[in-house]
Structure formats: C-alpha cells, structure tokens
C-alpha cells in the first residue's frame, strides 16, 4: 500500500436522522437466569439496539481494528449528519483513538425521533466529508515539506464510508452526484490554498442499513467509476450481525488485512482448573503475513477455511509447544500488528494477556505430509502484539566458511571480554524527542561520536597492549575517553598516574604479554617504558579535547621524566640485581659514566616532550647493544630510521619481540663469529677441495 | 540469491559462426565459452552463490542441481548434446518448479537465459506463447511472473541487428517485461566471436556478479568486508520516493543492543559479512616476499594471522548476546550479529531493516537512540537488570485496555452478568461492581443504547428485592443508588449522561 493511497484518509459519515432511532428488531436477551434462581422471577424483557446503535458500534469496531493494526497514519475523521453536520474529531494524530470518538459520540447522543425529518439529511455530512478530505493531514504536510520541489508526489486520496438509511436507488444516485459536484467545487477552492489539497481520488462506500424483517429498498452495487475522481459502491445490509460482518469484511478489504485462526490453544478451564481444553482465536493483520502461502499457491493446503456465510477466509495455524525464548534471534521476514476479531471473548483475552506478559508462541503450519513447519511467531513488544513471519525455506547462506577460516581467524588472543565491556558501554537508549535540544547533534550522531572517542586507541589483541591488561590503569582509561572531564575526573586520572609511578618505584611486575615467548620477556625497566609509551599514546589522542584532558597528558609527561639522581640511583640498584642475568649471557657491563651521560640526555629529551628512539636504544637497559651480539639484518637498517623521530609502536613492539626471541635460542656459530654479518660457509670444503665457495649473503635470514 | 542458468540446446544453437580463416565455431561453442567464463568468475569471486544448470529445447532437463561446485557446472557444459526446437515457456515452467522446490517462493533468484534469439516455431514458440497470453485458463497460466522475485538476464548469442530483423527482440523485451522488468537483455557487439562473447558475459558479470565490497566502521576500528549476497537497492514508496536506495559502502556501527531487546526483528534481507584482505596490503606483503614465491598461500596466511576487527566484533557479539546497530545510508539501518550455522561454524551476519526512520516500533526512531552514558541514570540499571526497551507506544491497543464490544450478544450478556455477579456480593465487591457498572454505562452512552441502561437499572432493582435476609444492609442501598443513577443517565439528559462522569458508591456508614 502506498503511503498516500485512499487508505490514508477515511471519513465516516453516519446518519443521525430521526429514522435511525428505529429499532433494528434484533433482540438481545441480557437477563440470563440460572436455574436455582429462576423460580418466581420474571425475566427482563429482551432489549434491542436502534439502527443508530448498530451503525455506531460497527463503525467503532472498524476503527478499533484499524487503530490496532495501523496505529499511525491511517486516519479517520468521524462525522454525523442530521439537520446539520457534526465533526467529532480531526485528522490530527492525537485525535485518532476509539476513546476520543466514543466520548464525542456520547456527547452527540442517539438521534432525536421527534426532530423534523424534513430538515435532516445525510447530505450535510457528505458535503462536509468532501471538505474534510481536502484538509491536509500532518503526514501530508511533513512529506510535502520534506520533498520541497517534488512536493506534488504527495497525493491526496481518500475514502468516504457512509452509513445511512437511503430511500431508493435514485436517492443513492442523487447522493453520488452531489459528492461529485462537491469534489469539483472543493478542488477549485483547494487550488488556491496552502492548507488544502485537491482530491485526486475518492472512494465512496455507501452502506444502506435497514431493520431486520424488512425488505431492502436499495440494491447492492459493486464498485463503479462515477468520474475519474470518484468511484462508488453500495452495500445494502440488515442491521445487527450482518452489518457487523459487512464492516469487518470492508475493513479487511480497505486495509489489506487477512485473517489467521490460531488453533489448539491450550487453556485452563475456569471450573476444572487442572484440565485444559483447546480453543481457537481469530486474528486480523496485514495480509503480507500470508504472502508465502499466496505465492506458493498452497493457501488451501495451509488450512484455509471459508467460514460462516462464505464471507471470508482464514488461515489456520497451530499453537506450538515448546515456547521460544527471547534471547534467540529468529530469521524473521516480516512482523505485523494484530487485532483479535473478537477482542473481549475469553479465549482472545487469554491469548493476548499471555502474549502481553512477554511470552512468545511459535505457530505451526498444518501440513498433510505430517512434517512440522514453523512459519510464524506471535510476540508482543511494548504492549503491542505482532505476528512475525519466520523463514521456513532453505537458506541460501547455508554452510558459509567459518569466521575462523578468514582474515584474522587464526589470531587467538582477541580482547573479546574487553570488547564486550566496550559494547555494554556503547549500548543505546531511546532519547525522548521532547528532551532533545535541536541545537545539538541528533542522539544517534552523538552515539557515533562516542564510538569514535572510545576507539581512538583500542588495541584488538591482548599481546598488543599492556595498559589495558592493568587494573591500575582502568580508572584513567575509563575517564579519558569522556567528552568532558570534571575536576574530580582529572584528579582521579592524576592519582592513577601517581599510582603507576609508585608501582614503578616499587618495581612491581607488569602484565606484559609473554605470549609466544618462553623466557622472561623484556626487563622491568623496558616494561615500564612500554607501558608509559602506551599510556601516553592513549592520552595523546584525547589531549586536544579539553584543557583538562591536556592536563592529564601533562601529568603523565611530567611524571615519567624523573630527576637524574633518582633515575641513576635506581639504575645502580637495578644493575646489581641484573648482574646475574647478564653473567649468564656473557654480556659486558656498560661503563657507569656512560649511562650517566645517557640518562642526562634522556632527561633533556623527555623534557622536550620527545620520545627519541635512539635514547631507548642507547640506554643501558635497552635490548643488547649492537656490538655484544651480531643481530639481525633489520636491526642494522633500523637505527638511522629510528633516529629520525619518535619511535613507533610497531618498532617498539618488533624490538621487544626480537629481543625476547633472541634470548630463547643459542646463536648460530656462524652468526656469532661472522664479520660484517657475513660468514663463510663450508670453509673446510675449500681447504679440502680447493674449490671456491660463495659467501652466503643471506646467512642472517 | 541463487542463479539458474538456462541454456538453449536447440538445433539452431549449432549454427556455425562464419569466421574468416580460423576454426569454425557453433553458436553453442560461444555460449559455452561465455558460461565457462561466468562460472570461473563465480568460483573465484562469488563462490557462495548457488547455481543450477538447466538445458532446454522442447523439453527441459536439470543438468546440475543448485550447487557451489563450479567444476561440476563446467563439466556439465562440456557434455551438452543437441536437441530439437526452442520452447521457452516449458523451460520457464521448469525453472519455476526447480526454484520453488529448492528455495520456496520468497527467495529472490537470478535467471540467466542463454539463447540465440531464434525463439522456436509454431506451438511452443515464444511468439505463440505471448500471443495466447490472454486466452488461458487458470491451470495453463504463463509461468511469468514467477512467484519469487526474479532478475532475468537474457544473453543472446546474436547481435541486436539480427534480433531486430525478426520480432525476436520485441518478444524478448515482452518476456522481460512479464517477469517484472527486473533484469536486462544482453546482445553481442560486433562479429560473433570469442572476444565479443567474452565482452558480453563480462557485462553480465559487472552488472550482476561483482562482489559487494564495503568498509565496516566502529569509530576508528574498521575492517574491509565483502557483503554476500550483494545487497539490492530498495524502493521505499514508488510514488513518494521513486529512487531506489542502495546500501552505502561505508557501514557505520552506531551502537549496541541486547538480543532480547531487538527481539527477532523483521528484516528485508540477510547477508554474510566476510572480512577481506585489501589488495594493497596483499601487494605489500607480496612485494616483501618476492623471493619466497614457493610459499604461495603466505598472503592469506598473513591475513589469517593479522588481527581483524570483524573477528573481534563477532566474538564479542556472540559471547555477550548482543547485536550491533549499523547505519547503511541516510535513514537506513541494519544489524550485525553472530549467526551459528552448526555447532562449530559461526559467522558475522548483517540483516537489513526496512528503510526509514522507525523500522522497528519497539526501538522508536533510530535517530533518537543515544549513548547510555548521556542518560541521567543508567537505563540498564547498575546490575543490568533493566532495559529501556521496548519503547512503549503512546496509546494502548484495544486488547490491552479492556474495551467494550457488544456486537455479539454474548459480549453484552457477559458484561451484564458480570455486574449482576458483583451486585450479589455487595458490599465486598463494591469497587468492582461500580467499575463494571461505569464501563457499561460509558459504552451504552457512546452507542446511544439508552434502553440498555434502563434494562440494567431494572435488573438491579430486582436484585434488590431478591436480597436474602442475611444480606448486609449496605447492599440494598448501593443497588438502589446504582439503579437510580442508571435511570437518570438513560434519559439522555446531558446533566446525567455525561460520558466522563462516573457513578460513585453511595456513602454509607454502618460502623456505628
């Protein structure tokens, strides 16, 4: 259905002339006497509804179903007509509810049988209905404004449902002609107005209501075109249940509805609480929920049955146990709001209450072959019940390659838990439109902005990070990503930094990943340097946000550059600890005065805010000095590059890994005693055979 | 979107193609060459597509049922035999059967019809089928349009001049139109030779079988991905918004939602999201590893070993039971989630919602979903025991608000009996009694059913006379009070018949 099909606007025009006060002659017994009380009591005479009551309650039922299935933008304007017209509501969304209409109807009251029938006519209402169709709805206005220069795409169509008691076929024709003329007049008027729209298509549905036991004076007539603007159809119906089922069929036709009967619903009996009987409940919903049946042509196979007087069809689906749980994500191709046909019957209200309490029911398609096919699911969301259509066909996506076989599939140390935490922090929540400041970005844009902030520095695997493996860093890491920081936040961050400094002083171990290396990994000093670098990288990405963010960065920079004396003292202390380690590796000790100079230089550089790679390389605790062990070719290439600028995380990382790896094995004889990284192979061969040998330039590989 | 290749093996396909000085080909050879090229392309770039191969003349035969085994398809092409005349209608009926049997009627399909533009003669020819279109019974309807959404690609081993000399082109256009208009007719340009058949199939590949590559973003984290099957453009409302909307190649995650909150939403299509190694990275790796060419799969091994955001996202979505809401374009969203195929295999999937600002009523407008951190109070509660979803609609539906419907007599009787039942239990049930009484009163006033008010008033008065001696004295007071109020309302006098007025219990005091 198009957005602006005739279904967008429905005008009800209900006859309020004295004749409508007549009885429908359908009697309702409302005094049901139980046997025990029957003696001596005269039962109350049955009551009967007037034509008006019948018309009103059936039109209300039409609206009830309509509003249940389309709570938005399928609008009703309700008019009654006697000696003049009365408009009971407007096209505005807030006026669209049965409660509003009932209240307005109560104010109008039943027709006055003593009013002069000569002054009364349905025509007043019909003319007003055409006028009303020209009035622009909120949705039409919104779309016209949004489309700007293609505003003409917004169509104005509508339907008039007239419930009346017509005198004859000629009378009906007169009414049609009158509507046609009014449309032409109103369209002229609308052409010159901003708030009115000309009618492009109008569908008149005239329902002639007459009391039971009488013969109709008006004949049924299928839809015919009166003019390109107007079509008309006439239904001649007896008041009472005939009228009710007629309007029920009409609402289905007008709004593309279809019927599903849920069968085999187990329900506890009121009297015998421990037994249960099976009930059926009929629901109406958009007919697309049956699309699969229509298309495959097995509508009849799917348990379709024609009910009652052959008026309408319903598809039968079977209640299916066990129930489904709500943490399962079904493949659902459509979800359609429902409305029970018999809303306050006991089986209906049992089913709807069951669903409204948050439970879902799977529905099974009865098939002759006996195979069980679950095709639908009933479930409520926010107090609305939906019929979900589940895919029951073979999936074209079956047997896909597993994610572990694709890119990044072999990596095993993803920070799955941390990212889970990240997702929780970046969950969404509805923001009331009323509380949204139009000057700010839309909530969804703010959500994206938050994701951007939270991911400025986010290593994906555990072995890529130190700080995110440290409890001590958590307070700072959580705060620094915020858009703004409070004084208190800055304080917390600073405390975190001081705490880290303290840890470093105490020489606490750091959770540096030793994945893939069996040795001890980098030395403690090196670990801290890596940690500080990483922390700085994280905070730097946020430093530009506010002054307070910058202060956190300043704090880190200040704290990690230590006075030379302290640095030195610490180093000396550490040297002694490290001696044993070094002895194992036959490493020569660095002259102490050199390291003094180095740390002086280190300090100077750090104060400039620059992290120079050379500093790291040359400082006494860096990976083994070059001359100590002949190293990989790459190492020789790197120093000039490193000297250029701040060390990158990658090279830091590579260094660490190569350093760690180099400790794990005994160096090749050849490499140890190589000259310029070159070593002659098969030397003895030469001696023995006198043949030339090639220098192996790739010995290092 | 599965593909059916429908290959014409009628005699006319064996017509030789005149080429000066080189080997002689039949049109069939050209067609087979083109299809081989298509299958090779699919095997390397579109290998998750299910394809079936059917051959047809006056009869049809399913040579290879739906498969991803492109070798099997190519082998079958190699052993095609020649038959009699072309009968497209029968073949289309065959397609209809084969597709519906395998995929049902909801699954969109692509049909690649390869023919030479000689469309049969006499009964069973396309011309005859189209001419008799309107004079058919229910049981002999023309197979098009298929019940499932179809893209029909017609590849003619003929150039357009040849087709326009007869009515073949008109008939094929008519056929495309009948199938729903989605698809295209491809003809050969220039002389009929291997080169031009390649060009024609190349155009088909570009049009329908080029993989959809996109970048999945989550803030600064991102991954290059292939979305399979290709997401198709969607028309929202042909009148108001006739331009089809296409999925953007930048897929932006906007936030995360629990599976229970998103609650099996309706989707228009589902796609696998497969992380891919971008070419430039592969090139770099390749350049660095030129001297170890023998280690051919190293590029893919490298890709497997370098961390990828999709894998991280998939892992966490799976563990946490959440979905990621992803923006596909302006006012168009979808969700990413982990989908388990079997116990071992699972994958990152993307489902597309209906385009629009509010695809799921229970989430509200998606542009009004913001970060939890901005809420004054965590809407999920400190211990994750709450949820801001589902969003409640402004009005309750009829089944959630105890409406009054008296269309069936039983509805009216039940309401009256309910009042009487409570009337007999006065004064214990005073509240319920008046509640039911007022509900009935409101409905009667709205429906202009004043006679009922009088009738119920009479019933209440009768109940009053039937009260047993042991009854509480208050019962009689309340019953006659209620009866009197109903009688007043039944006059329709606006003073007593106000819709919003409620009859309140009579104030009595029997405590002293």
């Amino acid at each position: 259905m198009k957005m602006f099909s005739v279904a967008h606007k429905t005008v009800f025009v209900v006859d309020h002339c004295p004749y409508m006060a007549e009885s429908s002659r359908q009697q309702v017994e409302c005094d049901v006497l139980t046997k025990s009380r029957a003696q001596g009591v005269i039962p109350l005479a049955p009551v009967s509804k007037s034509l008006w009551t019948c018309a009103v309650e059936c039109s209300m039922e039409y609206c009830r179903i309509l509003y249940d299935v389309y709570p938005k933008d399928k609008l009703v304007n309700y008019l009654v007509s006697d000696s003049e017209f009365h408009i009971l509501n407007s096209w505005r969304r807030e006026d669209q509810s049965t409660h509003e209409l009932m209240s307005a109807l109560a104010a109008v009251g039943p027709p006055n049988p003593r009013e002069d029938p000569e002054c009364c006519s349905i025509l007043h209402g019909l003319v007003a209905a055409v006028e009303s169709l020209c009035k622009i709805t909120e949705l039409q206005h919104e779309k016209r404004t949004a489309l700007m220069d293609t505003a003409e795409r917004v169509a104005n169509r509508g339907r008039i449902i007239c419930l009346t008691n017509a005198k004859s076929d000629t009378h009906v024709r007169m009414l049609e002609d009158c509507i046609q003329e009014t449309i032409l007049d109103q369209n002229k008027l609308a052409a010159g107005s901003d708030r009115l729209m000309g009618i492009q298509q109008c569908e008149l549905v005239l329902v002639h209501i007459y009391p039971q036991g009488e013969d109709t004076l008006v004949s049924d007539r299928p839809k015919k075109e009166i003019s390109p603007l107007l079509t008309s159809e006439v239904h001649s119906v007896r008041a009472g249940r005939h009228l009710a089922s007629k309007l029920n069929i009409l609402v289905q036709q007008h709004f593309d509805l279809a019927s599903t009967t849920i069968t085999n619903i187990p329900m506890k009996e009121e009297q015998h609480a421990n037994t249960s009987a099976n009930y059926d409940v009929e629901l109406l919903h958009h007919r697309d929920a049956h699309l699969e049946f229509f298309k495959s042509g097995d509508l009849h196979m799917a348990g379709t049955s024609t009910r009652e007087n052959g008026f309408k069809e319903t598809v039968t689906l079977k209640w299916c146990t066990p129930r489904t749980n709500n943490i399962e994500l079904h493949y659902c191709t459509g979800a359609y709001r429902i409305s029970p046909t018999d809303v306050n019957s006991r089986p209906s209200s049992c089913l709807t209450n069951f669903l409204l309490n948050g439970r879902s029911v799977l529905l099974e398609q009865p098939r002759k072959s006996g195979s069980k096919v679950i095709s639908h699911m009933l479930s409520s969301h926010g107090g609305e019940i939906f019929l979900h259509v589940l895919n029951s066909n073979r999936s074209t996506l079956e047997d896909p390659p597993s994610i572990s076989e694709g890119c990044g599939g072999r990596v095993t140390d993803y920070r799955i838990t941390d990212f889970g935490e990240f997702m929780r922090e970046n969950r969404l929540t509805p923001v009331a439109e009323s509380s949204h400041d139009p000057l700010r970005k839309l909530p969804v844009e703010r959500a994206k902005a938050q994701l951007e902030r939270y991911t400025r520095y986010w290593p994906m695997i555990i072995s890529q990070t130190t700080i995110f493996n440290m409890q001590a860093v958590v307070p700072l890491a959580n705060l620094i990503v915020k858009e703004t920081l409070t004084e208190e936040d800055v304080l917390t961050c600073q405390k975190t930094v001081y705490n880290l400094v303290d840890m470093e002083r105490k020489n606490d171990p750091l959770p540096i990943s030793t994945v893939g290396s069996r040795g001890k990994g980098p030395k403690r000093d090196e670990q801290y340097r890596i940690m500080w670098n990483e922390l700085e990288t994280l905070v730097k990405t946020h430093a530009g946000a506010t002054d307070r963010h910058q202060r956190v960065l300043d704090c880190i920079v200040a704290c990690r550059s230590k006075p030379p004396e302290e640095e030195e003292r610490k180093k000396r202390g550490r040297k002694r600890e490290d001696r044993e380690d070094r002895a194992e590796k036959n490493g020569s000790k660095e002259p102490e005065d050199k390291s003094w100079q180095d740390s002086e230089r280190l300090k100077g550089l750090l104060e400039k805010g620059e992290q120079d790679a050379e500093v790291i390389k040359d400082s006494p605790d860096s990976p083994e000095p070059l001359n100590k062990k002949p190293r990989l070719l790459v190492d020789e290439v790197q120093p000039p590059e490193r000297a250029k600028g701040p060390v990158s995380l990658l090279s830091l990382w590579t260094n660490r890994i190569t350093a760690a790896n180099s400790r794990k094995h005994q160096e090749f004889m050849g490499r140890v005693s190589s000259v310029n990284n070159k070593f002659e192979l098969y030397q003895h061969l030469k001696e023995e055979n006198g043949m030339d040998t090639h220098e192996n330039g790739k010995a290092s590989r | 979107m599965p593909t059916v290749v429908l290959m014409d093996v009628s005699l006319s396909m064996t017509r030789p193609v005149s080429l000066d000085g080189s080997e002689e080909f039949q049109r069939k050879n050209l067609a087979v060459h083109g299809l081989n090229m298509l299958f090779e392309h699919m095997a390397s770039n579109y290998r998750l597509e299910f394809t079936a191969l059917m051959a047809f003349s006056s009869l049809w035969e399913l040579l290879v049922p739906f498969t991803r085994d492109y070798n099997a398809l190519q082998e079958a092409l190699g052993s095609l035999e020649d038959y009699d005349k072309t009968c497209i209608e029968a073949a289309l009926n065959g397609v209809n059967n084969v597709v519906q049997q395998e995929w049902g009627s909801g699954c969109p399909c692509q049909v690649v019809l390869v023919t030479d533009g000689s469309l049969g003669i006499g009964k069973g020819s396309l011309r005859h089928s189209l001419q008799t279109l309107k004079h058919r019974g229910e049981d002999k309807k023309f197979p098009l349009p298929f019940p499932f959404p179809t893209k029909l690609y017609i590849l003619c081993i003929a150039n357009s001049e040849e087709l326009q000399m007869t009515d073949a082109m008109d008939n094929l256009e008519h056929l495309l139109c009948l199938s729903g208009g989605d698809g295209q007719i491809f003809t050969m340009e220039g002389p009929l030779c291997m080169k031009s058949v390649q060009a024609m199939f190349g155009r088909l590949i570009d049009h329908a079988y080029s993989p959809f590559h996109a970048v999945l973003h989550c803030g600064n984290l991102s991954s290059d991905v292939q979305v399979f099957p290709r997401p198709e453009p969607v028309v929202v409302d042909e009148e108001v918004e006739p331009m089809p909307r296409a999925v953007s190649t930048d897929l932006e995650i906007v936030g995360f939602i629990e599976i229970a909150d998103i609650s099996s939403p309706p989707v228009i299509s589902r796609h696998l999201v497969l992380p891919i190694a971008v070419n430039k990275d592969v090139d770099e790796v390749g350049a660095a590893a030129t001297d170890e060419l023998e280690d051919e799969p190293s590029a893919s091994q490298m890709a497997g070993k370098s961390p990828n955001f999709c894998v991280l996202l998939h892992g966490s979505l799976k563990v946490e039971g959440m979905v990621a809401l992803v923006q596909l374009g302006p006012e168009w969203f979808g969700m990413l989630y982990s989908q388990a195929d079997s116990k071992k295999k699972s994958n990152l999937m993307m489902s597309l919602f209906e385009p629009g600002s509010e695809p799921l009523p229970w989430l509200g407008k998606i542009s009004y979903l913001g970060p939890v951190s901005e809420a004054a109070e965590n809407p999920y509660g400190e211990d994750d025991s709450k949820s801001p979803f589902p969003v409640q609609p402004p009005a309750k539906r009829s089944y959630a608000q105890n409406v009054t419907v008296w269309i069936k007599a039983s509805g009216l009787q039940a309401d009256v009996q309910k009042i009487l039942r409570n009337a007999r239990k006065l004064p214990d049930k005073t509240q319920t009694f008046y509640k039911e009484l007022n509900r009935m009163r409101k409905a009667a006033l709205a429906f202009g059913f004043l006679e009922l008010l009088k009738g119920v008033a009479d019933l209440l008065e009768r109940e009053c006379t039937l009260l047993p001696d042991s009854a509480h004295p208050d019962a009689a007071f309340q019953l006659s009070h209620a009866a009197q109020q109903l009688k007043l309302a039944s006059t329709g006098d606006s003073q007593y018949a106000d819709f919003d007025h409620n009859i309140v219990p009579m104030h009595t005091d029997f405590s002293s």
Side-chain angles (χ1 to χ4, degrees), chain A residues 2-4 28-33 37 41-42 44 47-49 52-53 56-57 61 64 67-68 71 102-103 105-106 110 147 153 155 157 244 292 295-296 326-335 337-338 340 342-344 352 356 381-382 384-386 388 393-403 405-411 414-416 419-420 423-431 433 436 442-444 446-448 450-452 455-456 458 460-461, chain B residues 2 48 50 68 102-107 147 218-221 229 237 239-240 242 252-256 258-260 262-267 270 272 275-277 303-309 311-317 320 322 325 327 337 341 345-347 361-362 365-374 379-380 384 388-393 397-399 403 405-408 412-413 416-417 424 445-451 455 458-459 462-463 466 499:
Chain A
K2 285 183 207 150
M3 196 180 285
F4 297 113
V28 186
E29 203 74 63
C30 59
D31 189 13
V32 185
L33 290 170
R37 299 171 50 91
V41 180
I42 307 149
L44 190 79
V47 288
S48 85
K49 296 170 186 170
W52 164 259
T53 300
V56 166
E57 69 174 2
E61 182 68 359
R64 178 187 72 78
Y67 290 143
D68 273 357
M102 299 263 277
S103 167
L105 280 166
L147 288 172
R153 283 188 197 151
R157 308 187 180 95
E292 184 80 0
K295 279 182 171 171
S296 58
N326 62 353
I327 49 165
E328 198 177 342
L329 205 54
H330 294 276
Y331 176 23
C332 159
T333 53
R337 289 186 178 85
I338 61 103
D342 204 357
V343 64
N344 47 10
T352 51
L356 289 173
H381 312 282
E384 291 185 286
I385 300 174
F386 290 81
H388 291 248
N393 289 316
R394 181 180 166 194
S395 163
T396 56
L397 298 179
E398 67 184 29
D399 199 24
S402 173
I403 193 144
E405 293 160 25
C407 292
R410 304 269 205 82
V411 181
Y414 284 108
R415 292 170 60 205
I416 299 284
F419 197 73
M423 296 195 311
R424 294 188 171 279
E425 284 162 14
N426 285 286
R427 272 183 294 189
L428 298 167
T429 185
V431 177
E433 274 180 64
H436 168 65
L442 276 172
V444 76
R446 299 207 300 272
K448 282 194 228 166
Q450 174 167 314
L451 283 175
E452 193 280 320
T455 54
R456 283 190 196 157
W458 214 96
M460 288 197 277
I461 55 175
Chain B
L48 292 177
F50 280 99
R68 286 172 178 155
E102 195 74 52
W103 310 107
S105 55
C107 174
C218 176
N220 293 298
L221 298 170
D237 181 311
E239 190 170 87
V240 180
E252 250 186 304
I253 291 180
V254 301
F256 301 88
E258 312 270 347
I259 283 183
I262 201 116
S263 190
S264 296
V267 301
R270 278 195 319 170
L272 287 168
I276 48 171
K305 281 176 188 161
S306 59
N308 188 292
F309 171 62
V311 185
L312 171 68
L313 175 68
H314 169 266
S316 298
L317 289 175
E320 299 288 333
M322 290 172 101
L325 209 57
Q327 181 151 21
Y337 53 97
D341 182 62
K345 285 185 173 182
S346 72
N347 252 290
W362 50 94
K365 279 192 184 153
I366 295 202
S367 50
Y368 281 87
L369 294 181
V372 262
S373 60
E374 287 185 11
Y380 289 94
D384 264 353
F389 300 105
V391 172
Q392 299 287 332
R397 305 280 84 86
S398 70
Y399 44 81
V403 291
V405 179
W406 291 333
I407 285 182
K408 285 189 177 166
L412 177 57
Q413 283 157 358
V416 174
Q417 289 307 311
R424 284 166 207 145
L445 289 173
F447 298 154
F449 200 0
L450 304 183
E451 197 184 334
D458 290 345
L459 280 176
R462 189 187 71 196
E463 283 304 318
L466 291 174
F499 184 75

Side-chain angles (χ1 to χ4, degrees), chain A residues 33-217:
Chain A
L33 290 170
T34 49
K35 276 178 198 157
S36 59
R37 299 171 50 91
Q39 290 130 358
V41 180
I42 307 149
L44 190 79
V47 288
S48 85
K49 296 170 186 170
S50 64
L51 293 180
W52 164 259
T53 300
C54 288
V56 166
E57 69 174 2
C58 291
S59 61
M60 278 301 110
E61 182 68 359
Y62 182 105
C63 295
R64 178 187 72 78
I65 293 168
L66 167 60
Y67 290 143
D68 273 357
V69 180
Y70 298 97
K72 249 178 102 180
D73 297 327
K74 297 280 176 268
L75 310 171
V76 171
N77 187 203
Y78 205 102
L79 311 179
V80 300
S81 180
D82 41 46
S83 59
E84 54 185 350
F85 64 85
H86 309 265
I87 301 181
L88 302 195
N89 72 337
S90 77
W91 292 123
R92 292 184 345 168
R93 284 174 186 143
E94 69 216 51
D95 274 8
Q96 301 295 316
S97 84
T98 45
H99 186 264
E100 286 290 322
L101 291 174
M102 299 263 277
S103 167
L105 280 166
V108 170
N112 179 0
R114 284 173 296 281
E115 207 167 348
D116 180 6
E118 289 306 308
C119 321
C120 294
S121 168
I122 189 73
L123 262 181
H124 303 296
L126 288 173
V127 169
V130 174
E131 284 170 14
S132 166
L133 282 180
C134 289
K135 286 181 196 152
I136 192 165
T137 65
E138 283 155 298
L139 182 67
Q140 284 177 321
H141 180 67
E142 283 162 19
K143 285 289 165 189
R144 286 217 304 189
T145 323
L147 288 172
M148 305 282 285
D149 43 339
T150 51
E152 75 280 353
R153 283 188 197 151
V154 176
N156 188 35
R157 308 187 180 95
R159 183 180 284 126
I160 299 174
I161 301 177
C162 175
L163 304 180
T164 184
N165 179 280
K167 294 182 183 67
S168 63
D169 287 345
T170 341
H171 183 208
V172 170
R173 246 189 322 279
M174 188 273 285
L175 296 176
E176 286 168 349
D177 291 344
C178 174
I179 290 176
Q180 168 66 22
E181 264 173 56
T182 317
I183 291 177
L184 294 177
D185 290 349
Q186 286 298 317
N187 279 359
K188 270 180 218 153
L189 209 66
S193 162
D194 265 355
R195 303 302 299 177
L196 296 178
M197 284 176 85
I199 298 170
Q200 279 147 304
Q201 191 191 345
C202 176
E203 213 176 276
L204 173 67
V205 179
L206 196 134
V207 183
H208 166 70
I209 309 171
Y210 60 97
Q212 306 244 336
E214 265 182 32
D215 288 333
T216 177
L217 302 169

Side-chain angles (χ1 to χ4, degrees), chain B residues 431-445:
Chain B
Q431 291 308 319
T432 347
F433 171 74
Y434 279 99
K435 198 182 121 213
E436 290 300 324
L437 194 73
N438 281 313
R439 187 165 74 88
M440 189 271 301
R441 175 184 173 277
K442 270 192 172 36
L445 289 173

Side-chain angles (χ1 to χ4, degrees), chain B residues 204-244:
Chain B
L204 170 70
I205 287 169
D206 288 346
H207 184 84
Y209 294 99
S210 54
F212 184 90
H213 289 166
V215 184
L216 176 63
H217 299 275
C218 176
N220 293 298
L221 298 170
S222 70
S223 169
D224 291 279
V225 294
Q226 180 187 353
V227 179
F228 180 90
R230 302 197 318 176
E232 296 298 323
V234 175
V235 176
V236 182
D237 181 311
E238 58 205 33
E239 190 170 87
V240 180
E241 233 187 300
M243 285 297 286

Side-chain angles (χ1 to χ4, degrees), chain B residues 470-510:
Chain B
S470 56
H472 194 284
D474 195 23
F477 280 98
Q478 298 299 350
L479 282 176
S480 48
H481 165 69
Q484 190 204 358
Q485 290 291 314
L486 285 185
K487 283 224 164 97
L488 284 171
S490 76
T491 59
D493 187 331
S494 58
Q495 193 187 336
Y496 305 105
D498 182 34
F499 184 75
D500 291 320
H501 174 77
N502 275 322
I503 304 176
V504 289
M506 189 185 199
H507 184 71
T508 51
D509 188 1
F510 292 94

Side-chain angles (χ1 to χ4, degrees), chain A residues 472-497:
Chain A
V473 184
V474 170
L476 185 146
N478 283 348
L479 288 171
I480 200 74
V481 294
K482 283 170 62 176
E483 200 170 9
T484 54
L485 296 178
T486 61
E487 253 339 290
E488 201 185 328
D489 293 339
V490 175
L491 221 61
T492 313
C493 290
Q494 287 169 343
K495 267 187 205 157
T496 309
V497 176

